[in-house]
Amino acid sequence: MITLTPNAISAVKTALSNAATPAEGLRIMVEAGGCAGYKYLMGLERQAREGDAVIETNGVKVFIDDVSQGHVYGMTVDFVTGLESSGFVFDNPNAASKCSCGKSFG
């Protein structure tokens, strides 16, 4: 359903090991909003919820709710480090357009 690059896997593993409360994986959600129509939400998650797709890659679990699954199918998630900013980057083939921040799509 989605692909995590090695950099993204490393970033998630670091976040999980440094979490203040125990977490089992990463949740990726899509909700209405943002400057292009939809926005990505991410956060550490304790466990899967009913209806979730669970993807496991190199020991990292990703939870995607049933509403978001169609929006992220085929997406690649990367983690980039730059001089001015670092963070997750989404390459989503389902996005007809995206905003300049890269966190919102239409």
Side-chain angles (χ1 to χ4, degrees), residues 29-31 33-42 77-80 85-90 97-106:
M29 294 175 50
V30 172
E31 72 175 26
C35 49
Y38 293 100
K39 62 183 176 180
Y40 299 107
L41 299 174
M42 297 178 68
V77 181
D78 194 9
F79 187 85
V80 296
S85 66
S86 298
F88 289 96
V89 176
F90 307 95
S97 63
K98 63 181 181 177
C99 66
S100 61
C101 73
K103 306 294 183 203
S104 179
F105 69 100

Side-chain angles (χ1 to χ4, degrees), residues 41-101:
L41 299 174
M42 297 178 68
L44 299 181
E45 186 71 52
R46 184 173 215 122
Q47 62 188 23
R49 300 177 193 167
E50 186 176 334
D52 279 352
V54 180
I55 297 130
E56 188 164 354
T57 305
N58 293 349
V60 171
K61 288 183 182 179
V62 179
F63 306 113
I64 304 168
D65 66 88
D66 56 345
V67 174
S68 300
Q69 291 172 23
H71 294 290
V72 300
Y73 187 85
M75 181 170 76
T76 298
V77 181
D78 194 9
F79 187 85
V80 296
T81 304
L83 291 175
E84 295 183 19
S85 66
S86 298
F88 289 96
V89 176
F90 307 95
D91 181 11
N92 189 341
N94 304 300
S97 63
K98 63 181 181 177
C99 66
S100 61
C101 73

Side-chain angles (χ1 to χ4, degrees), residues 2-47:
I2 67 167
T3 302
L4 298 177
T5 66
N7 286 344
I9 291 168
S10 178
V12 173
K13 285 182 176 180
T14 298
L16 288 168
S17 67
N18 293 332
T21 58
E24 188 177 329
L26 176 72
R27 176 166 298 280
I28 298 176
M29 294 175 50
V30 172
E31 72 175 26
C35 49
Y38 293 100
K39 62 183 176 180
Y40 299 107
L41 299 174
M42 297 178 68
L44 299 181
E45 186 71 52
R46 184 173 215 122
Q47 62 188 23

